[in-house]
Amino acid sequence: MSAAVPVVDIADLGGTPRQRRSVAGALDAACREHGFFSVVGHGVAASLVERLETQARSFFAQPDRAKAEIAMPLGGRAWRGWFPVGGELTSGRADQKEGIYFGVELPPNDQRVLRAVPLHGPNLFPSYPEGLRATVLEYIGTMRVLGMRIMGGLALGLGLDQNWFARTLMRDPIVLFRLFHYPEQLAVVQDTDEWGVREHTDYGFLTMLHQDATGGLQVRTSEGWIDVAPVPGAFVCNLGDMLELVTAGRYRSTPHRVQLPTTSDRLSAPFFLDPSWEAVMHSIPTIDRRSGTAEDVERWDDASPLAYDGTYAEYLLAKVSKVFPALRDEVL
């Protein structure tokens, strides 16, 4: 199927109250209908995205022994670095991709590092390409600002103050960033049960994805799977489990997957903006349960985020531990 997720121009989130409400209404409709949308008018320089993609391709083009300079086990409890094709699991099965995990760069004397809080610490950066470190850190800073703008728009769409998330559940948001490379699969048999990434949902609040022109991302809707075709200059956004929880199901954490690329390799860069580590997850009192939602989409895991009771840290660690079980056993 062709893409059916909406494209929202968010330039007016910085405009007049009327302009902000208009954009917020479009975002709210997209979140209720699909849980997926693309944003344009975001203000992120195309040159930054192009530089990131070029440098990422240079890194992934190296042999595995060179990339292993920043292998994930070297990152310890910070959970950073490179993993090879098949090194990450989704629903207990190996994904056909390789990648690098990044996060907020923390100095050794940061209290969270000193306390050995999982998923907090310094990044691992390769010696080649030389500029990747500066580009990744610039990208993380830029996308964090953009993500908080979008969360402000979602707050308005929910009838809340624009800074509601920033004042409550995202005072110190968890920021996770990935670079993924899907090698071309020339000999793939189309009816085999192999995927770039199997069906899953994301964990936190908001994912913002840059994908190259290859395509392959699919979203599960009540009418079946639909393709999310790349839109030049746009970021694909989707919602995580915790946003479904805090909105009592008004917004949906939509299952999605990635097909194996068969005509060229694929590069993607998902950026995750999530609740604070110690935030206790709860529904927003003023939101009517499942108010205005479209028909539910059955989840592959038969689990409901609405049933979760605890902190975001507990939820995130339980999920990530299933993605890298060997690393979990070693560092946790």
Side-chain angles (χ1 to χ4, degrees):
M1 299 182 182
S2 61
V5 299
V7 178
V8 181
D9 189 331
I10 62 171
D12 283 346
L13 280 179
T16 65
R18 182 177 181 180
Q19 289 173 322
R20 293 198 298 271
R21 286 195 299 270
S22 177
V23 177
L27 291 173
D28 179 68
C31 292
R32 286 186 286 110
E33 180 74 18
H34 293 294
F36 259 79
F37 53 94
S38 292
V39 296
V40 295
H42 46 69
V44 177
S47 58
L48 174 59
V49 179
E50 292 167 1
R51 186 176 3 125
L52 177 73
E53 184 171 329
T54 298
Q55 292 173 347
R57 289 191 181 280
S58 295
F59 173 82
F60 288 122
Q62 299 178 100
D64 282 3
R65 64 179 181 275
K67 290 178 281 192
E69 171 195 9
I70 58 166
M72 282 193 75
L74 300 175
R77 293 174 71 86
W79 222 290
R80 311 286 171 85
W82 170 78
F83 66 88
V85 174
E88 183 176 65
L89 306 182
T90 300
S91 300
R93 298 280 296 275
D95 296 335
Q96 298 305 303
K97 71 176 188 297
E98 61 179 322
I100 320 176
Y101 273 41
F102 299 105
V104 173
E105 182 77 358
L106 297 177
N109 62 349
D110 186 280
Q111 286 300 310
R112 291 161 292 184
V113 179
L114 294 174
R115 299 199 314 269
V117 177
L119 278 70
H120 291 74
N123 290 291
L124 297 179
F125 291 106
S127 55
Y128 177 84
E130 185 177 348
L132 185 61
R133 182 184 192 277
T135 299
V136 165
L137 293 180
E138 181 182 354
Y139 192 84
I140 288 175
T142 300
M143 296 302 289
R144 176 172 175 164
V145 172
L146 173 60
M148 292 307 296
R149 281 178 57 208
I150 295 174
M151 291 302 300
L154 298 185
L156 289 175
L158 292 166
L160 304 169
D161 177 84
Q162 190 167 359
N163 295 316
W164 189 89
F165 285 104
R167 288 188 291 100
T168 58
L169 300 174
M170 301 181 77
R171 293 179 180 176
D172 183 19
I174 295 295
V175 172
L176 303 172
F177 176 50
R178 317 289 188 235
L179 290 173
F180 289 146
H181 173 241
Y182 302 76
E184 181 181 359
Q185 305 284 321
L186 293 175
V188 169
V189 178
Q190 293 301 318
D191 61 355
T192 60
D193 189 27
E194 293 292 339
W195 295 87
V197 181
R198 292 176 178 277
E199 181 179 358
H200 67 286
T201 57
D202 294 342
Y203 312 143
F205 275 167
L206 178 68
T207 303
M208 297 173 289
L209 173 75
H210 164 67
Q211 59 174 340
D212 67 11
T214 305
L217 176 63
Q218 295 185 323
V219 180
R220 189 178 180 186
T221 72
S222 58
E223 298 178 352
W225 288 97
I226 62 173
D227 297 321
V228 183
V231 176
F235 292 109
V236 179
C237 296
N238 67 274
L239 313 180
D241 294 344
M242 293 298 97
L243 198 56
E244 180 168 335
L245 185 157
V246 302
T247 62
R250 178 184 177 91
Y251 292 169
R252 301 187 306 172
S253 178
T254 309
H256 51 288
R257 66 189 183 188
V258 178
Q259 293 179 307
L260 292 171
T262 57
T263 58
S264 66
D265 64 346
R266 179 180 189 265
L267 188 79
S268 69
F271 184 96
F272 304 92
L273 187 66
D274 294 343
S276 301
W277 183 253
E278 297 179 351
V280 178
M281 307 314 300
H282 58 81
S283 61
I284 302 169
T286 56
I287 301 296
D288 292 334
R289 186 175 178 85
R290 296 200 171 277
S291 170
T293 56
E295 182 181 348
D296 286 341
V297 176
E298 181 181 351
R299 287 175 60 111
W300 81 103
D301 58 0
D302 295 323
S304 171
L306 302 180
Y308 180 70
D309 181 16
T311 67
Y312 183 58
E314 294 165 331
Y315 190 83
L316 180 59
L317 284 177
K319 294 290 187 179
V320 173
S321 293
K322 295 179 181 179
V323 174
F324 293 104
L327 189 61
R328 170 199 63 203
D329 296 341
E330 180 177 342
V331 306
L332 293 181

